[in-house]
Amino acid sequence: MFVKKDLRKIPQILADASQRAASSPPSLSKEDGDDTASFTPPTKKAKSNNNKNNEIITEMRLGRRAPEFLPSCNASILLQPKFRPALDNLIQLSLYDCGLSSLAGIELHPTNDDDNGRRSMTLFPKLEQLDIGRNPKLTNDSLPDSFHTQFPSLLELWCDDCSFGPTIPNTLLQMHHVHVVRMTMNKLEG
């Protein structure tokens, strides 16, 4: 199967996904107090008659875009506040072969929603699959200690061909809901 690469730059992709997320109607569920209403906005994978330009983006394949992550070689491009709506809806994210050397910044971020003026929130509340493979500069020290707190729904983590080791990073061991972990070709011992 041939997959056509999105030729837009990452900021354009994120801006488009954020705009779609912000313009879609909220979903209704039984928690909203209406037992009969059940509306889920169309997503990238949904088959609907709606215009594709209005569908919420749930999958981003940003792999093999190392030049776009320079000079910092980290995920900071994804973490700009204006792109937050796009991150809230992601189910699959691929950062495969992006030349990443750090995932610093993917950690707790403050918001102003509580009585104290601050509280923590997750960056990727719905993300189920994360691929950070083939980033050989990623080591145990590349992950912030609170990395695991940003992926409460994560089921699959692919980090083949990185440089994790000699043990599995502690923050990855704290991801209790993950069912599949691929860590081949790392520097693990034992």
Side-chain angles (χ1 to χ4, degrees), residues 15-46:
D16 178 50
S18 295
Q19 181 182 14
R20 290 181 191 196
S23 66
S24 86
S27 64
L28 297 175
S29 65
K30 290 183 180 181
E31 291 87 27
D32 295 333
D34 183 357
D35 290 341
T36 59
S38 180
F39 172 78
T40 302
T43 65
K44 183 175 185 245
K45 290 187 169 189

Side-chain angles (χ1 to χ4, degrees), residues 126-190:
K126 298 178 183 176
L127 197 71
E128 295 177 1
Q129 183 182 52
L130 176 63
D131 184 352
I132 55 172
R134 200 172 224 187
N135 285 291
K137 294 179 183 175
L138 286 180
T139 66
N140 289 24
D141 295 331
S142 301
L143 301 177
D145 291 338
S146 61
F147 181 80
H148 65 282
T149 64
Q150 297 307 303
F151 307 96
S153 303
L154 196 67
L155 300 174
E156 296 182 24
L157 175 63
W158 299 358
C159 41
D160 303 294
D161 300 309
C162 294
S163 294
F164 294 119
T167 62
I168 296 172
N170 285 334
T171 192
L172 296 184
L173 293 174
Q174 295 179 42
M175 299 178 114
H176 301 292
H177 298 292
V178 175
H179 295 287
V180 176
V181 178
R182 290 179 34 176
M183 293 191 77
T184 60
M185 302 305 290
N186 277 277
K187 296 181 178 181
L188 299 173
E189 298 175 2

Side-chain angles (χ1 to χ4, degrees), residues 102-146:
S102 174
L103 292 177
I106 297 181
E107 50 208 300
L108 297 178
H109 286 265
T111 186
N112 294 321
D113 290 339
D114 70 356
D115 295 336
N116 298 327
R118 300 186 84 162
R119 75 177 169 111
S120 298
M121 62 184 195
T122 59
L123 286 173
F124 301 93
K126 298 178 183 176
L127 197 71
E128 295 177 1
Q129 183 182 52
L130 176 63
D131 184 352
I132 55 172
R134 200 172 224 187
N135 285 291
K137 294 179 183 175
L138 286 180
T139 66
N140 289 24
D141 295 331
S142 301
L143 301 177
D145 291 338
S146 61

